[in-house]
Amino acid sequence: MNYTILDCYTDEPAGLGVPPYIGTYPRYIYGRIKRKGNNVKYLRIDDLRLYFFYDNKIKKKKKTDKKIYNRTNQDVNKILNNTDVLIVISGIHVPGKYLSALPGTLFEVVKLVKNINCKKILTGPAATEFGSRLEGGKSFENINLSVFDEIIPDYVHDYKKIAKYAIFGAEIVKYIPDLVVAEIETSRGCSKKVPCSFCTEPLKNKLEFRNINDITDEVKELNKAGVVHFRLGKQSDFFMWSCSEIEKMLSSIRKECDIETLHIDNIDPAKVTEEKVKLVTKYCTEGNVAALGIESFDSEIVKKNHLNSTPDTSMKAIKIINKHGKKYGKNGMPLFLPGINLLFGLYGETKKTHEKNMKYLKQILKEELLIRRINIRQVSVYKNTDLDKLCGIKYLCKNKKYYWKWRHQIRQDIDNEILKRLVPVGHILKNVRTEVHDGNNTFARQAGTYPLVVGIKEKLPLKKNYDVKIIDHMLRSVTGEVLRLPATEL
Ligand code: SF4
């Protein structure tokens, strides 16, 4: 049997699979098929867009075309003609802005695959009851999926089997002619008794941990296949692991792999301890970020929505991470900083909620604490969550008129000020990789989790590393100029 995996990219609260990230879905599925002795190829939605929508011709444009940027550059016609089964991976549950990629909407995916003559299977987050949406605050895509012969949410689920599939699946990266950050899964489900009102993770998965040796073996295999950038990002809370487990996992990766980036993602602020933070700063690489699921600094909202931590606990977590992570590493970024996630549209939200958020964010500035980024999202209301039962989109609709203003105030008064402190004018960031052009400007960033976007006012070759000096600050990004060595050192 000839299988082809079509990666249309995934983004979930726990797990990113949008380039430059390669998610767990394509790797596990590839490994499962390969292990059974079948042939398997890997294509990306960018390959199909070029083939079907662009007539296989790349036009020169002033702005880099994100729709076809992440091609694998294979013969699409030949691969599709030889395909017996097409497995389509798709689904966005936490939509973000992607610098150099555009995930497929289900509408687009259906249009692309409907005339391909083979068995078609849809899997990934879009195949779950929660569907897919490319913009926050909007309802999921309601579209006829009869073009697919099967819809399988969990093509690969059992951790014992995944241990084997992940090893066979590592070679999938040979199809990607570009930088890859491998998203690694460490656990699924959530340890909280009462889930946060908006969250689907406890509905999707019961709490389960991967065997640490399976995790490190997978990283080693990917490393052998050429991957040097890793994020232990597919879990609801990395600090559910104990200190000894964290040390075992991270030290083994550092000892046995030749890597450039080792980052983590998703931390429950209530689980932050000095010991765990010290382990992360000891074994991970600089530029690391703890994405803290704070969601709101309004204690009423915390209570009503059963959120992770009170405002005081969140502040304590921010301070501990700063205490050990604020020191700068060799790439010019601090070792480990907190990232703050905020959600608009939760149950009970009022104008006071924004005032309380601002009060704590200003306190962070006043106490000279650093944060790497503030993610602000409009909540997506999913079926069967508490939020769905309590109020649905009532507060989203009620307060929508304020969101632009609230968000802008946070960007202007907090983000911009923090950026100026984090990377002041004259500060040097190393190994910043050029990714896209917009006119005569180039946008670049380092590899890893939540890297800072640097705008450079010249048209540089893409996919190259530069060292840059910061010259200005935007609301969420910076501008820089390339440091060129004096002629004698070139
Ligand atoms: S802590 Fe809350 S947001 Fe995180 S996985 Fe559990 S229920 Fe979901």
Side-chain angles (χ1 to χ4, degrees):
M1 275 283 230
N2 293 323
Y3 287 80
T4 299
I5 294 170
L6 175 63
D7 194 353
C8 302
Y9 313 134
T10 56
D11 195 352
E12 300 169 275
L16 179 60
V18 180
Y21 280 78
I22 175 131
T24 55
Y25 294 97
R27 302 197 318 261
Y28 296 170
I29 294 171
Y30 185 97
R32 176 181 158 171
I33 298 167
K34 192 86 191 174
R35 196 165 169 261
K36 284 193 176 156
N38 293 297
N39 295 321
V40 53
K41 299 273 188 206
Y42 173 73
L43 286 173
R44 288 172 149 184
I45 189 168
D46 303 53
D47 296 305
L48 262 66
R49 284 172 178 147
L50 182 70
Y51 182 71
F52 286 118
F53 296 161
Y54 290 62
D55 209 14
N56 245 351
K57 291 188 189 97
I58 303 171
K59 284 192 193 141
K60 272 206 161 177
K61 287 185 177 174
K62 283 190 173 165
K63 198 170 175 171
T64 302
D65 191 346
K66 290 201 278 188
K67 287 185 175 171
I68 53 166
Y69 184 80
N70 295 286
R71 301 182 313 274
T72 65
N73 296 326
Q74 301 172 84
D75 185 339
V76 173
N77 186 38
K78 193 172 156 198
I79 293 174
L80 293 182
N81 280 336
N82 285 332
T83 299
D84 300 308
V85 183
L86 182 72
I87 301 176
V88 180
I89 299 164
S90 181
I92 303 294
H93 284 176
V94 279
K97 282 208 173 121
Y98 311 101
L99 182 65
S100 59
L102 189 68
T105 59
L106 275 175
F107 179 76
E108 186 188 20
V109 172
V110 165
K111 207 168 150 197
L112 277 169
V113 304
K114 71 175 179 207
N115 294 324
I116 300 173
N117 193 15
C118 65
K119 180 177 178 180
K120 287 163 232 151
I121 299 172
L122 176 68
T123 188
T128 65
E129 59 177 307
F130 306 109
S132 182
R133 63 189 89 194
L134 210 48
E135 280 181 65
K138 298 224 164 131
S139 55
F140 68 90
E141 287 183 78
N142 194 358
I143 132 159
N144 183 344
L145 296 174
S146 59
V147 60
F148 294 102
D149 300 282
E150 284 181 61
I151 296 176
I152 309 176
D154 267 332
Y155 204 85
V156 176
H157 192 76
D158 182 340
Y159 272 163
K160 276 206 188 101
K161 289 182 182 165
I162 282 176
K164 294 178 188 121
Y165 300 159
I167 301 297
F168 277 82
E171 69 167 44
I172 198 174
V173 297
K174 73 182 180 194
Y175 289 100
I176 306 171
D178 208 347
L179 178 143
V180 170
V181 183
E183 180 84 316
I184 302 293
E185 178 171 12
T186 73
S187 69
R188 59 163 78 108
C190 172
S191 58
K192 271 180 77 187
K193 283 200 183 80
V194 185
C196 306
S197 68
F198 59 91
C199 186
T200 55
E201 184 63 20
L203 303 179
K204 284 194 286 190
N205 297 305
K206 72 172 186 17
L207 183 63
E208 211 179 337
F209 293 84
R210 282 182 85 189
N211 182 307
I212 292 180
N213 292 335
D214 295 345
I215 298 170
T216 54
D217 285 349
E218 184 186 11
V219 173
K220 279 184 233 164
E221 202 62 27
L222 283 160
N223 193 226
K224 269 195 246 160
V227 180
V228 291
H229 305 288
F230 292 90
R231 184 172 86 160
L232 305 174
K234 195 163 163 76
Q235 72 272 316
S236 62
D237 172 19
F238 187 72
F239 283 175
M240 281 194 293
W241 292 95
S242 70
C243 283
S244 60
E245 289 164 336
I246 291 174
E247 177 139 44
K248 185 177 170 200
M249 196 188 306
L250 299 181
S251 66
S252 153
I253 292 172
R254 285 319 294 266
K255 207 169 4 156
E256 294 174 54
C257 302
D258 184 14
I259 58 166
E260 290 177 24
T261 309
L262 180 60
H263 288 166
I264 59 164
D265 195 28
N266 292 340
I267 299 280
D268 174 353
K271 302 255 184 52
V272 172
T273 66
E274 302 236 4
E275 292 70 26
K276 288 183 183 179
V277 171
K278 277 199 231 165
L279 288 171
V280 170
T281 55
K282 180 174 173 190
Y283 292 109
C284 290
T285 58
E286 61 271 25
N288 202 2
V289 180
L292 297 174
I294 291 171
E295 323 302 355
S296 177
F297 284 101
D298 179 345
S299 44
E300 276 305 300
I301 299 290
V302 172
K303 243 186 271 158
K304 282 186 167 156
N305 294 273
H306 325 295
L307 300 182
N308 278 333
S309 73
T310 62
D312 288 344
T313 308
S314 298
M315 285 302 286
K316 193 174 154 214
I318 290 168
K319 283 179 196 169
I320 293 175
I321 298 171
N322 266 266
K323 182 175 165 195
H324 301 285
K326 215 174 172 180
K327 199 174 135 212
Y328 283 78
K330 59 182 187 310
N331 74 353
M333 285 301 285
L335 300 178
F336 186 36
L337 288 182
I340 292 178
N341 296 345
L342 292 179
L343 265 182
F344 288 165
L346 288 172
Y347 176 46
E349 180 185 73
T350 65
K351 279 202 238 172
K352 286 233 158 58
T353 305
H354 175 62
E355 285 164 23
K356 288 176 191 167
N357 283 342
M358 284 306 292
K359 182 186 138 198
Y360 279 92
L361 292 172
K362 283 182 178 162
Q363 186 67 22
I364 289 169
L365 281 182
K366 201 169 150 210
E367 296 193 30
E368 297 189 353
L369 297 163
L370 287 179
I371 41 177
R372 168 54 203 96
R373 91 302 176 265
I374 306 170
N375 261 10
I376 309 167
R377 287 201 175 96
Q378 288 180 48
V379 73
S380 297
V381 183
Y382 288 102
K383 258 193 285 174
N384 297 330
T385 55
D386 274 357
L387 193 64
D388 179 34
K389 291 172 200 156
L390 285 165
C391 62
I393 56 169
K394 180 179 163 190
Y395 290 90
L396 262 181
C397 296
K398 189 174 149 223
N399 296 325
K400 207 156 197 123
K401 54 185 176 290
Y402 303 118
Y403 290 157
W404 188 89
K405 203 173 131 209
W406 290 357
R407 187 191 300 260
H408 192 68
Q409 197 183 357
I410 295 172
R411 297 291 175 235
Q412 211 159 31
D413 296 357
I414 312 295
D415 282 280
N416 181 255
E417 191 49 45
I418 294 260
L419 266 189
K420 287 178 185 161
R421 296 176 188 189
L422 180 67
V423 286
V425 168
H427 187 86
I428 290 165
L429 289 180
K430 298 207 164 158
N431 286 327
V432 177
R433 194 163 189 272
T434 51
E435 263 182 64
V436 290
H437 289 139
D438 190 351
N440 285 326
N441 300 313
T442 307
F443 291 89
R445 56 185 175 171
Q446 294 169 323
T449 188
Y450 307 105
L452 187 54
V453 174
V454 185
I456 303 161
K457 287 185 179 147
E458 61 178 307
K459 201 162 185 174
L460 295 165
L462 296 183
K463 304 181 182 182
K464 301 263 181 258
N465 280 3
Y466 293 89
D467 295 345
V468 296
K469 187 168 84 177
I470 306 304
I471 55 170
D472 203 359
H473 302 86
M474 306 293 112
L475 292 183
R476 298 192 79 198
S477 60
V478 292
T479 47
E481 60 186 21
V482 171
L483 278 181
R484 293 193 164 89
L485 292 174
T488 50
E489 290 180 42
L490 283 171

